[in-house]
Amino acid sequence: MSIERRIDVGGPKYRPAYVVWELTLRCDQRCTHCGSRADEARPNELTTSEALDVVQQLRELGTQELVVIGGEAYLHPGFAEIVRAIRDAGIRPLMTTGGRGIDRALAKEMKNAGLFSVSVSIDGLQTSHDLMRATNGSFEAATRALENLRAEGVRITANTNLNRLNESDLEALYLHLKSLGIESWQVQLTSPIGRAADRPEMLLQPWDLLELVPRIAALKQRAYADGILLMPGNNLGYFGPEETLLRSPRPGLTDHFQGCQAGKFVMGIESDGAVKGCPSLQTSHYVGGNVRQSPLETIWNQSGQLAFARTRTVDDLWGFCRTCPFAETCLGGCTFTAHAILGRPGNNPYCHFRAREHARLGKRERLVPAAPAPGSPFDNGKFEIIEEALNAPDPRPAILQMLKKKRWPKSMKLPIVD
């Protein structure tokens, strides 16, 4: 199916139960891995009154949970009013944030507005986190944000982007987050989208999953015992020996990845009103309409750009994914990640089962940059896959040397700010 084709794929079977809404692209950090390249506000962002109308449309569509993000959502002038409206509409309001500006007063305002929980992004211990966030003191600020939110009675969680820069921090970071009293922790892979596409040296290679996924699974067992829920993001997995452990919210269940949910039960809204099936999808390929031009119900039910996952079949897959025994269930894994790597969905080299199959044959796949990203929000470049011996030398630069010098190489430098 052409993604531009408009078809009637709405009705009761699918609804945007879980929505992620970028209130503004304005941000107080310029993170090196930011998919939206957040910094300044987008031109013509939705006003508070327009946003309040969107809240009512989401209520009518049956939205259950709504995550406000940015940039930094708290930098939108109507932030608290919008959160209150979400709560009053019977939708559970949540937030994901870098946390730099969340002092005790803002934490109290968030609590009073009705935020159910806040997930603070912490990407490693102090050195690696500050380098990724391109901001000195960012780690301390994020830590204080969790402390301030907890003190005001807001449920606190955390999320982490894993890459070559910070993967060695994983176990120590868990202990830090546990000490702060988080209730859950989401870990995902840094995908080459937005600014991360400009820094291929920081990305994990597919064979890194051979070691990383078992480490995450071991931490999940540990987290169960500690009363913390550790869950993988949708671009981490799939179908290795630890799959059911990774995907299950509590012991004894046998959950597993069930394909991309973008446009099926998930919706993303950009700060200028553009609507996608998932907040991380590439803007240039997956925007199905704008709330200023069309009602959300019309966009959800009639836009082919939002409907791709509803109609995807094995025949839409290619490469290794087309031949995989889990193809019918997985359907190529995370759409935006596959598209960010190879320029189109349907073949995803960030896969644990795939890495294990190659390793069984004494091989591995290496991602090599082939075309740069143009430099716009939620953009991507393109990579090529090279198949080589499993024990081939690792051609990547020594990331630890970057950490010691607390800087990026000139080819991928982003100034650290105070």
Side-chain angles (χ1 to χ4, degrees):
M1 182 194 76
S2 168
I3 201 165
E4 290 80 16
R5 179 176 150 208
R6 295 177 64 84
I7 56 176
D8 186 4
V9 288
K13 185 175 181 181
Y14 301 114
R15 63 189 174 95
Y18 182 82
V19 175
V20 181
W21 187 356
E22 172 199 279
L23 291 186
T24 178
L25 202 61
R26 183 183 171 198
C27 198
D28 49 19
Q29 300 184 82
R30 294 187 64 235
C31 304
T32 59
H33 61 300
C34 179
S36 64
R37 299 181 183 271
D39 185 9
E40 300 296 330
R42 293 179 190 269
N44 202 25
E45 293 188 332
L46 296 181
T47 65
T48 299
S49 61
E50 288 175 316
L52 295 177
D53 180 68
V54 170
V55 171
Q56 295 308 309
Q57 292 186 61
L58 290 170
R59 179 184 61 80
E60 293 169 4
L61 283 171
T63 297
Q64 295 175 303
E65 287 193 346
L66 197 161
V67 184
V68 292
I69 64 169
E72 272 296 355
Y74 56 69
L75 295 178
H76 188 285
F79 166 69
E81 185 177 357
I82 295 167
V83 171
R84 281 194 294 270
I86 295 167
R87 176 201 60 192
D88 294 344
I91 302 170
R92 176 177 286 179
L94 305 96
M95 181 180 183
T96 298
T97 174
R100 187 183 184 196
I102 302 180
D103 56 16
R104 191 68 180 267
L106 182 53
K108 184 179 183 67
E109 182 181 8
M110 291 176 171
K111 172 66 174 179
N112 292 339
L115 274 174
F116 175 75
S117 75
V118 175
S119 179
V120 177
S121 302
I122 300 192
D123 294 309
L125 301 178
Q126 181 172 353
T127 302
S128 50
H129 175 94
D130 284 5
L131 189 57
M132 279 183 62
R133 298 274 156 181
T135 307
N136 286 327
S138 178
F139 177 80
E140 292 180 1
T143 297
R144 284 196 304 271
L146 285 169
E147 293 170 340
N148 291 332
L149 289 161
R150 188 184 184 195
E152 291 298 332
V154 179
R155 179 177 180 265
I156 57 170
T157 68
N159 64 89
T160 300
N161 257 273
L162 292 173
N163 51 64
R164 181 76 163 168
L165 193 67
N166 64 9
E167 58 86 19
S168 63
D169 291 349
L170 188 61
E171 288 78 8
L173 179 58
Y174 171 77
L175 292 177
H176 176 69
L177 296 174
K178 175 188 171 184
S179 73
L180 296 170
I182 64 164
E183 296 187 23
S184 66
W185 183 27
Q186 183 187 66
V187 294
Q188 62 188 35
L189 302 181
T190 299
S191 294
I193 188 168
R195 291 196 189 111
D198 304 336
R199 298 171 174 81
E201 293 93 339
M202 77 186 294
L203 302 174
L204 293 168
Q205 287 288 353
W207 73 79
D208 288 318
L209 299 180
L210 297 172
E211 177 186 348
L212 181 62
V213 173
R215 288 171 60 199
I216 295 171
L219 276 177
K220 177 148 191 177
Q221 292 279 32
R222 188 174 177 179
Y224 274 151
D226 292 334
I228 298 170
L229 176 61
L230 189 160
M231 291 294 288
N234 290 329
N235 72 350
L236 197 155
Y238 313 86
F239 296 101
E242 303 88 354
E243 175 68 11
T244 57
L245 169 62
L246 288 173
R247 299 285 169 195
S248 298
R250 61 180 183 272
L253 298 182
T254 56
D255 291 353
H256 58 80
F257 184 75
Q258 298 185 32
C260 177
Q261 299 300 301
K264 298 171 75 173
F265 303 103
V266 177
M267 176 192 286
I269 304 175
E270 295 185 348
S271 59
D272 59 0
V275 181
K276 305 183 287 189
C278 163
S280 299
L281 285 167
Q282 288 79 353
T283 299
S284 60
H285 289 80
Y286 295 99
V287 168
N290 190 293
V291 297
R292 285 193 170 114
Q293 281 81 51
S294 303
L296 266 178
E297 182 180 14
T298 299
I299 298 171
W300 180 260
N301 288 335
Q302 297 183 15
S303 171
Q305 283 91 339
L306 269 70
F308 66 88
R310 306 176 203 176
T311 57
R312 180 177 286 169
T313 70
V314 171
D315 290 336
D316 296 312
L317 307 183
W318 56 286
F320 181 94
C321 287
R322 181 65 179 82
T323 66
C324 177
F326 300 103
E328 191 170 348
T329 299
C330 183
L331 291 173
C334 174
T335 298
F336 86 84
T337 298
H339 193 134
I341 296 171
L342 297 175
R344 61 186 174 110
N347 187 22
N348 187 355
Y350 274 167
C351 168
H352 191 210
F353 173 80
R354 178 169 173 162
R356 285 171 56 86
E357 283 297 288
H358 279 85
R360 185 175 61 83
L361 300 173
K363 300 177 182 179
R364 70 184 191 192
E365 292 180 306
R366 177 157 57 93
L367 305 179
V368 179
S376 55
F378 296 107
D379 62 347
N380 64 270
K382 192 174 181 181
F383 290 74
E384 294 177 349
I385 298 176
I386 293 177
E387 193 173 281
E388 60 190 11
L390 181 62
N391 60 356
D394 189 341
R396 294 171 293 186
I399 296 291
L400 288 179
Q401 292 304 312
M402 299 182 203
L403 285 174
K404 290 177 181 178
K405 297 176 182 178
K406 202 171 185 182
R407 64 175 177 80
W408 295 102
K410 290 182 179 179
S411 62
M412 50 194 287
K413 186 177 181 181
L414 188 67
I416 296 286
V417 298
D418 294 313

Coordinates of all heavy atoms in Angstrom, one line a residue, residues 163-205:
N163 N 23.6 3.6 24.0 CA 24.4 3.7 22.8 C 25.9 3.4 23.2 O 26.1 3.0 24.4 CB 24.3 5.1 22.2 CG 24.5 6.2 23.2 OD1 25.6 6.3 23.8 ND2 23.5 7.0 23.5
R164 N 26.8 3.6 22.3 CA 28.2 3.2 22.5 C 28.8 4.1 23.6 O 29.7 3.6 24.3 CB 28.9 3.4 21.2 CG 30.4 3.1 21.2 CD 30.7 1.6 21.2 NE 32.0 1.3 20.8 CZ 32.6 0.1 20.9 NH1 31.9 -0.9 21.4 NH2 33.8 -0.1 20.6
L165 N 28.2 5.3 23.8 CA 28.8 6.2 24.8 C 28.5 5.8 26.2 O 29.3 6.0 27.1 CB 28.2 7.6 24.5 CG 28.9 8.8 25.1 CD1 30.3 9.0 24.6 CD2 28.1 10.0 24.9
N166 N 27.3 5.3 26.5 CA 26.9 5.1 27.8 C 26.6 3.6 28.3 O 26.2 3.4 29.4 CB 25.7 6.0 28.1 CG 24.5 5.5 27.3 OD1 24.4 4.5 26.6 ND2 23.4 6.4 27.3
E167 N 26.7 2.7 27.3 CA 26.3 1.3 27.7 C 27.1 0.7 28.8 O 26.5 -0.1 29.6 CB 26.3 0.4 26.4 CG 27.7 0.3 25.8 CD 28.5 -0.8 26.4 OE1 28.0 -1.7 27.1 OE2 29.8 -0.8 26.2
S168 N 28.3 1.2 29.1 CA 29.0 0.6 30.2 C 28.5 1.1 31.5 O 28.9 0.6 32.6 CB 30.5 1.0 30.0 OG 30.7 2.4 30.1
D169 N 27.7 2.2 31.5 CA 27.1 2.7 32.8 C 25.9 2.0 33.2 O 25.4 2.3 34.3 CB 26.7 4.2 32.5 CG 27.8 5.1 32.3 OD1 29.0 4.7 32.6 OD2 27.6 6.3 32.0
L170 N 25.4 1.0 32.5 CA 24.0 0.5 32.7 C 23.8 0.0 34.1 O 22.8 0.5 34.7 CB 23.8 -0.7 31.7 CG 22.4 -1.3 31.6 CD1 21.4 -0.2 31.1 CD2 22.4 -2.4 30.6
E171 N 24.6 -0.9 34.6 CA 24.3 -1.4 35.9 C 24.5 -0.4 37.1 O 23.6 -0.3 38.0 CB 25.3 -2.6 36.2 CG 24.9 -3.9 35.4 CD 25.4 -3.8 34.0 OE1 26.1 -2.9 33.6 OE2 25.0 -4.7 33.2
A172 N 25.5 0.5 37.0 CA 25.6 1.5 38.0 C 24.5 2.6 37.9 O 24.1 3.1 38.9 CB 27.0 2.2 37.8
L173 N 24.0 2.8 36.7 CA 22.9 3.7 36.5 C 21.7 3.2 37.2 O 20.9 3.9 37.8 CB 22.7 4.0 35.0 CG 21.5 5.0 34.7 CD1 21.7 6.3 35.4 CD2 21.4 5.1 33.2
Y174 N 21.5 1.9 37.0 CA 20.3 1.3 37.7 C 20.4 1.5 39.2 O 19.3 1.9 39.8 CB 20.2 -0.2 37.5 CG 19.2 -0.9 38.3 CD1 17.9 -0.8 38.0 CD2 19.5 -1.6 39.4 CE1 16.9 -1.4 38.8 CE2 18.6 -2.2 40.2 CZ 17.3 -2.1 39.9 OH 16.3 -2.7 40.7
L175 N 21.5 1.4 39.8 CA 21.6 1.6 41.3 C 21.3 3.1 41.6 O 20.7 3.3 42.6 CB 23.0 1.2 41.7 CG 23.4 -0.3 41.7 CD1 24.8 -0.5 42.1 CD2 22.4 -1.1 42.6
H176 N 21.8 4.0 40.8 CA 21.5 5.4 41.0 C 20.0 5.7 41.0 O 19.5 6.3 41.9 CB 22.3 6.2 40.0 CG 22.0 7.7 40.1 ND1 22.4 8.5 41.1 CD2 21.3 8.5 39.3 CE1 22.0 9.7 41.0 NE2 21.3 9.8 39.8
L177 N 19.4 5.2 39.9 CA 17.9 5.4 39.8 C 17.1 4.7 40.9 O 16.2 5.3 41.4 CB 17.5 4.9 38.4 CG 18.1 5.6 37.2 CD1 17.7 4.9 35.9 CD2 17.7 7.1 37.2
K178 N 17.5 3.5 41.3 CA 16.9 2.8 42.4 C 17.0 3.7 43.7 O 16.0 3.8 44.4 CB 17.5 1.5 42.6 CG 17.0 0.7 43.8 CD 17.8 -0.5 44.1 CE 17.5 -1.2 45.4 NZ 18.3 -2.3 45.7
S179 N 18.1 4.3 43.9 CA 18.3 5.1 45.1 C 17.4 6.3 45.2 O 17.1 6.8 46.2 CB 19.8 5.5 45.3 OG 20.1 6.5 44.3
L180 N 16.9 6.7 44.0 CA 16.1 7.9 43.9 C 14.6 7.6 44.1 O 13.8 8.5 44.1 CB 16.3 8.6 42.6 CG 17.7 9.2 42.4 CD1 17.9 9.7 41.0 CD2 17.9 10.4 43.4
G181 N 14.3 6.3 44.1 CA 12.9 5.8 44.3 C 12.1 5.7 43.1 O 10.8 5.8 43.2
I182 N 12.7 5.5 41.9 CA 11.8 5.4 40.7 C 11.0 4.2 40.8 O 11.3 3.2 41.4 CB 12.7 5.3 39.4 CG1 13.6 4.1 39.4 CG2 13.5 6.6 39.2 CD1 14.1 3.8 38.0
E183 N 9.8 4.2 40.1 CA 8.9 3.1 40.0 C 9.1 2.2 38.8 O 8.8 1.0 38.8 CB 7.5 3.5 40.1 CG 7.1 4.2 41.5 CD 5.7 4.5 41.6 OE1 4.8 3.8 41.0 OE2 5.3 5.4 42.4
S184 N 9.6 2.9 37.7 CA 9.8 2.1 36.5 C 10.9 2.8 35.7 O 11.2 3.9 35.9 CB 8.5 2.0 35.6 OG 8.1 3.2 35.2
W185 N 11.5 2.0 34.7 CA 12.6 2.5 33.9 C 12.4 1.9 32.5 O 12.4 0.7 32.4 CB 13.9 2.0 34.6 CG 15.2 2.5 33.9 CD1 15.3 3.6 33.2 CD2 16.4 1.8 34.0 NE1 16.7 3.7 32.8 CE2 17.3 2.6 33.3 CE3 16.9 0.7 34.6 CZ2 18.7 2.3 33.1 CZ3 18.2 0.3 34.4 CH2 19.1 1.1 33.7
Q186 N 12.4 2.8 31.6 CA 12.4 2.3 30.2 C 13.8 2.5 29.5 O 14.4 3.6 29.7 CB 11.4 3.1 29.3 CG 11.3 2.6 27.9 CD 10.4 3.4 27.0 OE1 10.7 4.6 26.7 NE2 9.3 2.9 26.6
V187 N 14.3 1.4 28.9 CA 15.5 1.5 28.2 C 15.3 1.3 26.7 O 14.5 0.4 26.3 CB 16.6 0.5 28.8 CG1 16.9 0.9 30.2 CG2 16.1 -0.9 28.8
Q188 N 15.9 2.0 25.9 CA 15.8 1.8 24.4 C 17.1 2.1 23.8 O 18.0 2.7 24.4 CB 14.7 2.8 23.9 CG 15.0 4.2 24.1 CD 13.8 5.1 23.7 OE1 12.6 4.7 23.9 NE2 14.1 6.3 23.2
L189 N 17.2 1.8 22.5 CA 18.4 2.1 21.7 C 18.4 3.5 21.1 O 17.3 3.9 20.7 CB 18.6 1.1 20.6 CG 18.6 -0.4 21.0 CD1 18.8 -1.3 19.8 CD2 19.7 -0.7 22.0
T190 N 19.5 4.1 21.1 CA 19.6 5.4 20.4 C 19.6 5.1 18.9 O 20.4 4.3 18.4 CB 20.9 6.1 20.7 OG1 20.9 6.4 22.1 CG2 21.0 7.4 19.9
S191 N 18.6 5.6 18.2 CA 18.4 5.4 16.7 C 19.0 6.5 16.0 O 19.0 7.7 16.5 CB 17.0 5.2 16.4 OG 16.4 4.0 16.9
P192 N 19.5 6.3 14.8 CA 20.1 7.4 14.0 C 19.1 8.3 13.4 O 18.9 8.4 12.1 CB 20.9 6.7 12.9 CG 20.2 5.4 12.7 CD 19.6 5.0 14.1
I193 N 18.4 9.0 14.2 CA 17.3 10.0 13.8 C 17.7 11.3 14.4 O 18.2 11.4 15.5 CB 15.9 9.5 14.1 CG1 14.8 10.4 13.5 CG2 15.7 9.4 15.6 CD1 13.4 9.8 13.6
G194 N 17.4 12.4 13.7 CA 17.8 13.7 14.2 C 19.2 13.9 14.4 O 20.1 13.5 13.6
R195 N 19.6 14.5 15.6 CA 21.0 14.7 15.8 C 21.8 13.5 15.9 O 23.1 13.5 15.7 CB 21.2 15.6 17.1 CG 20.7 17.0 16.9 CD 21.2 17.9 18.0 NE 20.5 19.2 18.0 CZ 19.7 19.7 18.9 NH1 19.4 18.9 19.9 NH2 19.1 20.9 18.7
A196 N 21.2 12.4 16.4 CA 22.0 11.1 16.5 C 22.4 10.6 15.1 O 23.4 9.9 15.0 CB 21.1 10.0 17.2
A197 N 21.7 11.0 14.1 CA 22.1 10.6 12.7 C 23.4 11.3 12.3 O 24.1 10.8 11.4 CB 21.0 11.0 11.7
D198 N 23.7 12.4 13.0 CA 25.0 13.2 12.7 C 26.2 12.6 13.4 O 27.3 13.0 13.2 CB 24.8 14.6 13.1 CG 23.6 15.3 12.5 OD1 23.2 14.9 11.4 OD2 23.2 16.3 13.1
R199 N 25.9 11.6 14.3 CA 27.0 11.0 15.1 C 27.0 9.5 15.1 O 26.7 8.8 16.1 CB 26.8 11.5 16.6 CG 26.9 13.0 16.7 CD 26.5 13.6 18.0 NE 26.8 15.0 18.0 CZ 26.0 16.0 17.5 NH1 24.8 15.6 16.9 NH2 26.3 17.2 17.5
P200 N 27.3 8.9 13.9 CA 27.2 7.5 13.8 C 28.2 6.8 14.7 O 28.0 5.6 15.1 CB 27.5 7.2 12.3 CG 28.2 8.5 11.9 CD 27.6 9.6 12.7
E201 N 29.3 7.5 15.1 CA 30.2 6.8 16.0 C 29.6 6.4 17.4 O 30.1 5.5 18.1 CB 31.4 7.7 16.3 CG 32.3 8.0 15.1 CD 31.9 9.2 14.3 OE1 30.7 9.7 14.5 OE2 32.7 9.8 13.5
M202 N 28.6 7.1 17.8 CA 28.0 6.8 19.1 C 27.0 5.7 19.1 O 26.6 5.1 20.1 CB 27.3 8.1 19.7 CG 25.9 8.4 19.1 SD 25.2 10.0 19.7 CE 24.9 9.6 21.4
L203 N 26.6 5.3 17.9 CA 25.5 4.2 17.8 C 26.1 2.8 18.0 O 27.2 2.5 17.7 CB 25.0 4.3 16.4 CG 24.3 5.6 15.9 CD1 23.9 5.5 14.4 CD2 23.1 5.9 16.8
L204 N 25.3 2.0 18.6 CA 25.6 0.6 18.8 C 25.5 -0.1 17.4 O 24.8 0.3 16.6 CB 24.6 -0.1 19.8 CG 24.7 0.4 21.2 CD1 23.5 -0.1 22.0 CD2 26.0 0.0 21.9
Q205 N 26.3 -1.1 17.3 CA 26.3 -2.0 16.1 C 25.3 -3.1 16.4 O 25.2 -3.5 17.6 CB 27.7 -2.5 15.7 CG 28.5 -1.4 15.1 CD 28.1 -1.0 13.7 OE1 27.2 -1.6 13.1 NE2 28.7 0.0 13.1

